[in-house]
Amino acid sequence: MDIILGIKVEDGTIIATSKAATRGISVLKDSDDKTRALNARNLIAYTGESGDTVQFAEFIQANIQLYSMRENDIELSPKATASFVRNQLATSLRSRKPYQVNVLIAGYDTKTDTASLNWIDYLGTQVELPYGAHGYAAFYANSLLDKHYRKNMKIEEGLGLLKLCLKELETRMPIDFKGVYVKVVDKDGIRSIEGY
Amino acid sequence: MSDPSSINGGSALAMVGKECIAIACDLRLGNQSLGLSNNFEKLFQFGDKTFLGLTGLATDVLTLSETFRFKNNLYELREERSIEPSTLANLVSSTLYEKRFGPYFVGPIVAGLNSKTNEPFICGFDSIGCIDFAKDFIVSGTASDQLYGMCESLYEPGLEPEDLFETISQALLNAVDRDALSGWGAVVYLVTKDKVTKRVLRTRQD
Amino acid sequence: MSRRYDSRTTIFSPEGRLYQVEYAQEAISLAGTAIGILSTEGVVLACEKKVTSKLLDNDGSAEKLYVINNNMICAVAGMTADASILVNNARINAQSYLKTYNEEIPCEILIKRVCDIKQGYTQHGGLRPFGVSFLYAGYDDRYQFQLFTSNPSGNYSGWRATSIGANNSAAQTLLKKDYKDDLTLKEACELAIKILSKTMDSSNLNSEKLEFATLSLSKVNEGKVLHKIWSAKDIDSLIKDSGVLDDKRDDDD
């Protein structure tokens, strides 16, 4: 029942991930960050089988950073990053024990000055979307975003829209997800937004 | 319910006309009942006049489209010409059969014109690569039953390009409207001997 | 002296040399010349064809120029049979990068991968190193147009203009003299012809003794890389336009 939610706006992409780490009926932690920075302008957010998630995200993180080390600090674009992650999941799907990890990748491409949000599930299904979420949160968040999302929104407006989604999720989700961490990826890099 | 070939939904269709072919697909990508994207094309071009349609499990649609791009690019460099539709059909067949005991969950279709004779060619496959040659139409995807019905009633042999476009569009549109997992937009490619035209169809968005 | 050390590729001689690698490089300096020139609008590769028998029945495709992928071509000096193994490897590498990242492979990464194979054969694996040097012309969005060479040892380097094969030092001296930073693609082509006409032993230059390729950007389709391996007719008219034949006649007078 983890929540990971992404909204792409004109000049960046917003990612929100729930703080609760749960196991069975217990909340083990209320400050769990379900994201990893892959490089300066690529952020991965993940949910799924505990154990697999962090292992997979850090494996991807290590590979993306290895690429930059080999290539004189040139960084992989969001499109290439997402394709690489998809490829890893699709390969894993037909292995003896597949990673059960669903991810969102928020990125900002400095070559084309465009923000992007990639939705990838554990099967390796990949789509580039204006907004998206995994799990049950998707049902509530998507219907709200379908109604209120506009192209060419600024980050501030996107954050306003995110507030709306979180209010709905707090009302409708059956368990307390302990609030969210919010991060923005834009031309200046990855930054956290406080106060959520 | 957890049948891999109907998790994501989507349909495709190809038809033969008079010295032309048309191939079409819907644009939906879903996760069970939840629609994710209305911009997920399932058709891929190879060379000037050949198309491959891939329906089924979306991850396999992506994997196979990348695999065939890989194989086709090497083919073009080696042969210094583009691939013929019938050659592509055999490439698809053998690639799928390699995974006979752990198949890709897809329903591919191939449609194109021969580069020299401009003779139309269409065919479909099952998930392990058995080729289904046809001289009229080929259907595939979660709305395949509905597509069979529409094609059986609307199709006639020897249609001119514009009439073929109308026929394939109506067949696809009305079939996907009766399938909860297909729809959300559609595209049609019309291939004649000297031109390929792409048309994006406006459809209901529910 | 050298007999004890050159029967295997993997053994250093007391002077710290790898004889087989040096012999391979020696073999290449006897092969037909290939030159490459970078210009502001693209890259040109030109090679000298050595086998030009009237009885030879080939399919018309170039024998020393290969397309590697959408944004790279290469010219070969040395053993064509060895080259085709490496070219095939390069093509597969380019496609597998495209498959994992959905982007064309950056030129230097591909060259590095080919050179890793070459290096491998100087240390272990086969009986001898690959007897080929390459000239690579490429384009990518990191460094735009690029020109590289690689040799049997597995070293590679980037150039604005360079040459491999027979008479390569003579060609490079001429390039050093005549190369300018602001060449157009047409000027680069003419310079390539001019230099080849001086380094080749044959008196009259024509399309039967030359292979020619250019890499440039499409004017209509932004970002699309065009690569063209020239037809005999185009080469002949370039030779005519460049005026090298006229110069020759003047020299004779």
Side-chain angles (χ1 to χ4, degrees):
Chain A
M1 292 249 194
D2 295 343
I3 293 165
I4 60 166
L5 176 62
I7 303 172
K8 180 178 76 175
V9 289
E10 192 178 42
D11 44 1
T13 303
I14 305 163
I15 289 277
T17 58
S18 58
K19 290 178 184 172
T22 54
R23 189 185 190 191
I25 56 166
S26 315
V27 174
L28 300 182
K29 194 183 181 191
D30 63 0
S31 59
D32 184 34
D33 188 354
K34 298 177 183 61
T35 64
R36 289 290 121 107
L38 300 178
N39 56 28
R41 286 173 199 83
N42 273 121
L43 182 74
I44 192 169
Y46 50 81
T47 63
E49 176 92 3
S50 50
D52 278 9
T53 50
V54 176
Q55 175 67 24
F56 181 73
E58 290 183 356
F59 167 73
I60 295 298
Q61 185 185 38
N63 273 103
I64 301 295
Q65 290 180 4
L66 175 64
Y67 185 98
S68 294
M69 287 177 198
R70 283 181 173 161
E71 299 309 318
N72 291 107
D73 294 335
I74 285 176
E75 297 196 322
L76 227 40
S77 71
K79 192 180 92 175
T81 306
S83 296
F84 175 74
V85 173
R86 188 204 94 76
N87 208 283
Q88 289 296 323
L89 286 167
T91 312
S92 156
L93 182 68
R94 287 189 160 85
S95 68
R96 197 178 58 79
K97 188 167 184 297
Y99 280 115
Q100 290 186 37
V101 186
N102 303 313
V103 305
L104 291 177
I105 296 174
Y108 189 87
D109 192 341
T110 44
K111 275 239 157 66
T112 55
D113 277 320
T114 46
S116 68
L117 175 70
N118 275 95
W119 185 102
I120 307 171
D121 72 4
Y122 75 102
L123 298 166
T125 314
Q126 181 202 7
V127 253
E128 219 257 283
L129 295 171
Y131 48 84
H134 282 288
Y136 293 108
F139 290 96
Y140 304 113
N142 273 329
S143 24
L144 240 127
L145 289 161
D146 282 340
K147 174 78 178 166
H148 294 106
Y149 184 86
R150 296 285 174 271
K151 275 185 216 165
N152 313 322
M153 285 193 304
K154 295 289 172 207
I155 286 173
E156 292 311 312
E157 297 171 272
L159 289 169
L161 202 49
L162 178 65
K163 275 235 165 71
L164 222 60
C165 293
L166 292 173
K167 203 174 139 231
E168 183 69 9
L169 290 169
E170 268 159 23
T171 324
R172 300 293 172 189
M173 292 294 277
I175 55 156
D176 182 7
F177 55 86
K178 304 289 176 189
V180 289
Y181 286 115
V182 178
K183 295 187 180 182
V184 167
V185 184
D186 61 10
K187 66 174 189 326
D188 303 319
I190 303 168
R191 64 175 194 274
S192 291
I193 306 283
E194 302 304 322
Y196 279 87
Chain B
M1 223 278 278
S2 64
D3 169 23
S5 32
S6 54
I7 292 173
N8 304 119
S11 301
L13 161 69
M15 277 181 180
V16 172
K18 187 167 177 248
E19 290 165 2
C20 62
I21 57 103
I23 183 165
C25 72
D26 70 334
L27 291 177
R28 183 178 180 273
L29 174 89
N31 196 192
Q32 312 269 40
S33 63
L34 178 71
L36 286 173
S37 171
N38 52 7
N39 194 22
F40 189 79
E41 259 202 59
K42 299 159 189 76
L43 305 180
F44 307 92
Q45 189 167 3
F46 294 90
D48 295 335
K49 290 181 274 189
T50 306
F51 282 85
L52 169 69
L54 289 164
T55 63
L57 189 66
T59 182
D60 289 346
V61 169
L62 294 170
T63 304
L64 281 173
S65 69
E66 287 165 1
T67 303
F68 289 126
R69 179 182 59 187
F70 183 118
K71 293 189 174 188
N72 176 254
N73 285 348
L74 288 178
Y75 181 93
E76 286 187 351
L77 289 169
R78 238 184 4 251
E79 299 277 325
E80 298 182 342
R81 65 186 169 90
S82 46
I83 199 165
E84 296 296 339
S86 56
T87 316
L88 179 66
N90 284 290
L91 179 66
V92 170
S93 175
S94 54
T95 306
L96 291 179
Y97 196 78
E98 266 179 31
K99 297 275 187 285
R100 169 61 180 81
F101 299 109
Y104 292 115
F105 299 102
V106 287
I109 58 175
V110 164
L113 300 178
N114 184 284
S115 66
K116 291 210 175 65
T117 62
N118 287 310
E119 192 192 342
F121 177 94
I122 60 164
C123 71
F125 309 81
D126 65 8
S127 64
I128 54 169
C130 175
I131 309 181
D132 168 12
F133 295 103
K135 51 187 191 312
D136 42 12
F137 52 80
I138 282 289
V139 303
S140 157
T142 52
S144 61
D145 292 352
Q146 293 90 324
L147 282 166
Y148 270 123
M150 287 311 301
C151 293
E152 298 287 7
S153 48
L154 296 187
Y155 183 81
E156 45 190 290
L159 288 169
E160 294 293 329
E162 282 310 309
D163 298 329
L164 184 71
F165 166 72
E166 201 56 32
T167 310
I168 197 171
S169 303
Q170 288 302 334
L172 182 72
L173 259 25
N174 291 288
V176 297
D177 278 356
R178 281 288 178 184
D179 178 20
L181 300 179
S182 300
W184 258 24
V187 281
V188 180
Y189 286 88
L190 188 63
V191 185
T192 56
K193 72 177 191 310
D194 40 30
K195 205 162 85 228
V196 174
T197 33
K198 178 186 182 182
R199 292 192 179 103
V200 181
L201 305 181
R202 285 186 63 87
T203 71
R204 48 191 295 164
Q205 294 284 323
D206 61 355
Chain C
M1 175 67 234
S2 60
R3 270 228 301 223
R4 284 184 60 191
Y5 301 98
D6 65 1
S7 59
R8 289 169 183 238
T9 62
T10 51
I11 306 281
F12 278 106
S13 76
E15 311 93 87
R17 296 159 64 172
L18 292 170
Y19 279 118
Q20 284 296 322
V21 177
E22 290 182 22
Y23 296 161
Q25 273 156 334
E26 194 57 36
I28 288 156
S29 64
L30 302 172
T33 323
I35 69 175
I37 302 174
L38 208 61
S39 79
T40 51
E41 305 164 327
V43 197
V44 50
L45 295 182
C47 339
E48 174 192 358
K49 233 194 289 191
K50 276 262 161 102
V51 246
T52 52
S53 166
K54 249 197 272 184
L55 299 173
L56 189 67
D57 185 20
N58 66 2
D59 59 357
S61 59
E63 56 176 67
K64 306 182 77 175
L65 291 168
Y66 294 90
V67 177
I68 296 175
N69 70 351
N70 283 335
N71 48 23
M72 271 182 98
I73 54 176
C74 71
V76 169
M79 300 180 65
T80 321
D82 284 16
S84 77
I85 300 287
L86 290 169
V87 167
N88 190 241
N89 226 303
R91 286 173 174 178
I92 292 171
N93 262 310
Q95 288 312 127
S96 63
Y97 187 99
L98 181 64
K99 191 171 184 282
T100 39
Y101 297 105
N102 272 300
E103 279 179 0
E104 292 289 355
I105 189 167
C107 301
E108 198 178 334
I109 295 184
L110 184 62
I111 291 160
K112 205 183 282 172
R113 289 189 187 179
V114 175
C115 285
D116 283 350
I117 300 169
K118 285 192 179 188
Q119 190 284 141
Y121 277 80
T122 68
Q123 199 174 171
H124 46 68
L127 293 169
R128 61 169 177 87
F130 280 97
V132 263
S133 281
F134 284 112
L135 267 182
Y136 307 87
Y139 178 90
D140 63 42
D141 55 7
R142 294 180 179 173
Y143 301 110
Q144 279 64 46
F145 290 110
Q146 292 153 77
L147 175 67
F148 285 92
T149 59
S150 73
N151 66 19
S153 72
N155 278 327
Y156 68 89
S157 44
W159 299 83
R160 277 182 284 203
T162 191
S163 138
I164 54 175
N167 288 327
N168 72 79
S169 51
Q172 281 184 60
T173 317
L174 289 168
L175 280 168
K176 232 177 269 170
K177 192 160 67 73
D178 290 345
Y179 181 80
K180 286 181 215 70
D181 275 327
D182 56 350
L183 286 175
T184 64
L185 187 59
K186 184 146 194 300
E187 286 166 339
C189 290
E190 288 175 1
L191 179 59
I193 290 279
K194 205 177 114 192
I195 290 169
L196 272 180
S197 75
K198 288 184 185 161
T199 58
M200 283 163 63
D201 348 297
S202 60
S203 51
N204 63 328
L205 207 57
N206 62 46
S207 61
E208 271 177 18
K209 291 182 188 115
L210 276 182
E211 278 179 18
F212 222 82
T214 48
L215 189 98
S216 56
L217 278 183
S218 164
K219 291 200 174 68
V220 271
N221 207 333
E222 205 196 325
K224 193 174 155 35
V225 181
L226 296 177
H227 38 68
K228 176 175 144 194
I229 294 180
W230 291 37
S231 65
K233 210 179 81 206
D234 290 344
I235 297 174
D236 279 326
S237 67
L238 177 72
I239 295 172
K240 218 172 121 213
D241 290 350
S242 69
V244 284
L245 294 179
D246 311 337
D247 294 347
K248 271 260 154 57
R249 250 166 248 138
D250 294 343
D251 294 343
D252 293 343
D253 289 340

